[in-house]
Amino acid sequence: NIVSKLIIIWLSSMSFELQFRLGPTLQGKHVRVQTNYPAPGEHFDRHTFRALDWHNPTGREDDSDKFCSLDLQIAGSYQYNFGHGREEKSGGGYVVVDPVLRAGADNHHVHLDCITIQTYLSKCLGHLDDWPDRLRVAKESGYNMIHFTPLQTLGKSRSCYSLADQLSLNPEFSPPGKNYTWTDVGELVQKLKKEWNMICITDVVYNHTAANSPWIKEHPECGYNLVNSPHLRPAWVLDRAIWHMTCNMADAKYAANGLPAQVQNEGHLNAIRDVLWGQVFPKIKLWEFFQVRIESAVEEFRDLLVDGENQKKTGGKQGLKIIQDPKFRRFGNEVDMDSALETFVPHSHSTQAILEACNRLWGRLEEINKEQYQQMIHHQEKAANCIVGNVVYERLADHGPKLGPVTRKDPIVPRYFTFPFEETSLEDDLKMMDQPDKACHFLAHNGWVMGDDPLRNFAEPGSNVYIRRELICWGDSVKLRYGDKPDDCPYLWAHMQKYTEITAKHFAGVRLDNCHSTPLHVAEFMLDVARVAMPSLYVVAELFTGSEDLDNVFVNKLGITSLIREAMSAGDSHEEGRLVYRYGGEPVGAFVQPSLRPLVPSIAHAMFLDVTHDNECPIQLRSAYDSLPSSAIVSMACCCSGSTRGYDEMVPHQISVVKEERFYPKWNPDAKASSPGEVNLKTGIIAGKLALNKMHQDLASKGFNQVYVDQVDEDVVAVTRHCPSTHQSVVAVCRTAFHNPKHHQYRKEVPPMFIPGKIDEVVLEARVIDRQAGTYKKCEKYINGMPEYTVEIKEHIQLKDSGVVKHAGVTSKGSSEFVQEIVFERLTPGSVIAFRVSLDPRAQELVGVIRHHLIQFSPKYKLGIYIAQRHLTLADMNMLLFRCDSEEQEEGGGCYNIPSWTSFKYGGLQGLMSVMADIRPKNDLGHPVCDNLRQGDWMIDYVSNRLVSRGGALGEVGKWLKGMFHYLKHIPRYLIPCYFDAILVGAYTTALDTTFNQMSSFVQNGSTFVKLLALGSVQMCGVGSFPALPPLSLALPGVPYRLNKDTGKKEQCCVSLAAGLPHFSSGIFRCWGRDTFIALRGLMLVTGRHLEARNIILAFAGTLRHGLIPNLLGEGIGARYNCRDAVWWWLQCIQDYCSLVPEGTAILHSPVVRMYPHDDSQPHFSFTQPLCDVIHEAMTRHMQGIDFRERNAGPNIDMHMKDEGFNVVAKVNRYTGFVYGGNRFNCGTWMDKMGESDKARNKGMPATPRDGSAVEMVGLSKSVVRWLVELHKKGLFPHSSMKIHRDGKELKVSYEDWNHKIQVNFEKNFYVSHDEKDPDEKHPDLVHKRGIYKDSHGASSPWCDYQLRPNFCIAMVVAPELFTVERAWKALEIAEKKLLGPLGMKTLDPDDMVYCGVYDNALDNDNYNVARGFNYHQGPEWLWPIGYFLRAKLYFAKKLGKETYDQTVYLVKSILSQHYVHLERSSWKGLPELTNENGQNCPFSCESQAWSISTVLEVLHDM
């Protein structure tokens, strides 16, 4: 997933910082981020990109916090892209920055959601002097934005959107004797802005111009004509033929065919088809434009054959290729003669053979011509259907214009092309097609194509829209042809640039008319021009793409601020409410989002209109009574809302943008209802709209940005706007009237409503009523509405004074939610009532207390929770944050379970936070967790009681939470998920701060990734109900104690380290010697938990027996000493402790309580000796040779192992110094899978015995011996040699000698040389890979030595001196190629015959190699070895020079980015034990494994 993350920081309501962060596949690479967002002081140029600088706050380790940023202050659309290596662009995207709109004398900010807009058809405003009186209607109706249709000179059709001259102001705006200019318009716009607080926008129309535009006649190259677009010639021929069909119908020439001028029935429609197929199509023979003239083509072919031109020129590719004539002449298509010569090869040069080849070509060309004929027939069928469909709509359909008889003024269908010449015959028309001076004036009209791809230009070559008559044509407008760049049509680009500059100079915003069919590159260019003149340009668009994904293409590229959304698209009240929910804001009770958060894709901001000037009249489609409630529903959406002039006055017809020539009425407060030229608050629903607009603006400006839509019944919609800071709400209950109540039977009773909180007032109640003012009669001069309707309205009244509400009873749901039951009396169809609701006083007070204490709302939040947490230890943090279900059960509890869902992963805060991290960003208030919180206090009580019951410092935190939750329980239930989450976020973030402050500086100053890994220390290290570790010496300082809750006696309570969650977290299976000491360095020493690490080291030291420490600890008493490697990991940890901890060597003299002073001792705790002596004993016992049988050997301790497996051997080879041991029936290293399947007959057989000398054990022993030598030289270790008995004699073996033997023998015995005659190679026949290090030496099955596994990497890290640098590097490269997976290392070479990468412990079949998970270490990808692999890479890369090291650092970062992503997304907040092949999830793995987290953290520490 090669995508960068976008993080947004909300600095203020008008300022944002955008951060680019690296996704997983980009970490560790040289990534370049470029953007065309201008640098401070620079001007925007879409094509000028600049590189952003990277910042890494931690300055090291990894790239998890690395970012580059932009301070976003300039409105517009900006592009970014990123690349790495040789790739200039690996990906990219767009960021849209909204404009900041201002109005008023004080230049105040107008929030986008405050906008209430009204559209005016400019041509209906009259002279400019009259505009203020007509526009005052918008002001008095409460609108704060006016949208003017284009103010330019209109074309012949008088359509508002067919402009004759884009540069000149419509002269109709100037009264006689005056000549108003754009300056005058600009002054009026400024006056409206400053004095009326009204912002003005207007349309820009880029994709067409009026057919009678003077400039298009002078510059026909600006349109699609037959000279610059010859592909349109066939469509033009068809268009002329249909025009002549119109003339013939008008002249009654088809009467004999049963086709009159007046089309009235199905028979006439069939007659149209008959004329088309019988007379029109056969006459014009459109197929000929796509056919080959066969005679001439075959003649040319014959000449070439005769001349001997038959060499292969197509590379042997056969198949005849036809070349379309670029001029689209009849029979103009040509044959590609090279393909013909290749395809139709004569078998000889004879005349007969040539003739046969020509005949074959002739036959094929006839087939091709026939195919073209059939294709054209198919196009004509479509064209005939479209023509008939158009006739049906325009002349027969009830909802159509019913044009009447076909005439030259009203043709059978609109013409697709201009024809600026005298009418002649069709034959004479067609001759003009070949006369360029005339053909250039046949310009294609514009229109739209239903269901077409909006990104495709339907007038360009390759489209058949015009010939298939699929265009819904605007016969008054010519489609403009821009080409790809200004040089392609200089006049058009320059003309439209001037048009744009004029518009942007005077208006605050533009509406992109017909945006979906405006070429994107043109709109981009023009909007760039506009933003130079008006930097904070508001851009609105209508898009009919049918796809939100496609909408986003336009929004992103053009920087569209708001997309027009139409309430008229709703067929019923339910759909209308759904639109509010979709476009109207956040849900009520939404979660508090952090200021720094990922920028996620979202739908475009909406301009939600109750009606647009293109919509059909709502009164005709619904009813007059619906005007008010539908407007109220729209105005309750948290977005821009608005309407079109005429809707509020209840004009009962569509105000046509083409045909309407009357003027809008003026404002007159004293006008009579019967006066058609004047309006006031009593007209239509203007008074209601004023109240709604004021409420809409008030809600948006005061932060009521949360919305809830309730479908009360089929006609009643209740919309709630909620303010998350004050928790005030406004609830508008709207009873729609999609059907006229006079003719439709509505329910008499409206269901009661239950409104949570205290109703402060009725903001408004209004309904449409009849009045005695005459009936509607269309005025000839003014656009008048229906005088018989008005609005009855009351505003800001008390509930008791309402005429709509019958009864309002106060009730309560439980102890915390007070609701008022509203019973309606006169909520008639067409009514609206809006309540202002507050929390009840008690809840209001408690919310204030909560907000005062929380991080998200108050800078003082830390005081309470910090004080509560300040005494917590890291062991306490384990309880506060984590504890999986089995750990909780050990305490007598369990993780919280939601019956309808599942249990949390942890009993602590992390269990909740992991789930909330998914719920919070999506505001998923329907999630089962949120339902559970709303339904009862169970989860709330669980969180606090769990801690209170612990007592001590944890109990204090529990009491703080309990106190906060006490407030929480007494606020409305719908708010509880939000505030519960906020309380937990405050507690959790404080806990993290407290945790990291107790850790090492490496963690405190580390990256987010480091901190996430360091949390693994808290996750794995805890204290259970029963002591997991054997007791430490009473003389040892710093040992924690507690009172046993059962006995009341004092007992030690040292932290122990769980191997993995959830399987190895509690009871005797919690502590394992090997796992503990592989994980201890990373989880405890690197994180700074030195005292706890010391205690664990000394506790295990006390269990030493037979020279080994236990594999399974079992509190020391039930320990099993069946692994050979745990003791070496323990010794390595002591070495690490001494080197990493200040004055760490003091541990060597710490007292150790020996449970087993002798091998056969019973556990007792009276014998104490210093750790250095315990170390020396372990070393001596190995040198002497360990050979014993496990106690209680048999099925009681291992039900699968064979008898021989209980024999434990661990010795040192006297010649090589290598530690060796084991046998083929046991597995003494970490690869310890024992066969369990009777069916497969692998029961009792180790899958990976690794007997002999395992490579990592040799490395570990070398590391320890070398360290002891160094310690002795410094006087820090009292022993220089070991006394052993051999052959009846006492011998001394020095540590120095042991160290030397391993050093000189290692590569001889472990390196697999490229030299096939290597004298040190004992089994050359078993070698299958060279340049690697063996996995073992001296195995009972010699071929096992030669298996490629990742274990040699461990030896490289702990004892790098054993390896030749170049050999080590090559071996690591092979391991990288063969073993490296996305998260872990394959445990076996995929080339090995027993490799299987999928671990399934439940599978029991007859396959020896996989049954019952036998392949546990035979392929699945374990995570912890990857840490050692990467550390080895870093170590040896440094030896090879800076270039290699830098490359390796990038590799390491890239690999670890996958772990970071997993850690971030994991609900366990951990790294798994293993994965199946290629990183696939393994369901049998621990979800979080101590050593997996530890070794990755160690890599970052090394960096």
Side-chain angles (χ1 to χ4, degrees), residues 996-1109:
F996 299 136
N997 286 338
Q998 294 184 52
M999 289 188 172
S1000 63
S1001 60
F1002 166 68
V1003 174
Q1004 291 179 30
N1005 303 323
S1007 66
T1008 302
F1009 188 18
V1010 166
K1011 289 184 167 73
L1012 280 172
L1013 290 165
L1015 271 184
S1017 172
V1018 180
Q1019 184 186 115
M1020 296 295 172
C1021 300
V1023 180
S1025 291
F1026 309 102
L1029 300 178
L1032 300 173
S1033 168
L1034 298 176
L1036 198 64
V1039 178
Y1041 287 86
R1042 69 182 178 193
L1043 290 179
N1044 186 298
K1045 57 187 176 184
D1046 295 325
T1047 65
K1049 293 182 179 180
K1050 188 176 176 183
E1051 66 180 8
Q1052 294 182 2
C1053 53
C1054 292
V1055 160
S1056 64
L1057 204 159
L1061 310 181
H1063 306 317
F1064 306 114
S1065 58
S1066 61
I1068 64 167
F1069 294 107
R1070 176 177 174 86
C1071 293
W1072 300 73
R1074 177 191 300 122
D1075 297 69
T1076 294
F1077 293 109
I1078 291 176
L1080 188 134
R1081 181 179 188 269
L1083 293 188
M1084 305 199 81
L1085 298 180
V1086 166
T1087 59
R1089 304 185 69 171
H1090 301 152
L1091 185 63
E1092 293 154 311
R1094 181 207 70 177
N1095 292 344
I1096 291 174
I1097 289 170
L1098 296 177
F1100 270 89
T1103 65
L1104 190 80
R1105 196 177 201 180
H1106 306 291
L1108 302 175
I1109 67 163

Side-chain angles (χ1 to χ4, degrees), residues 869 871-883 946-947 950-955 957 995 998 1018 1021-1023 1055 1089 1092:
Q869 291 189 13
H871 297 303
L872 295 182
T873 65
L874 291 178
D876 291 329
M877 288 298 176
N878 170 259
M879 171 64 73
L880 177 63
L881 296 172
F882 296 103
R883 294 278 177 123
R946 174 179 173 272
L947 297 172
R950 300 290 300 180
L954 282 167
V957 177
T995 296
Q998 294 184 52
V1018 180
C1021 300
V1023 180
V1055 160
R1089 304 185 69 171
E1092 293 154 311

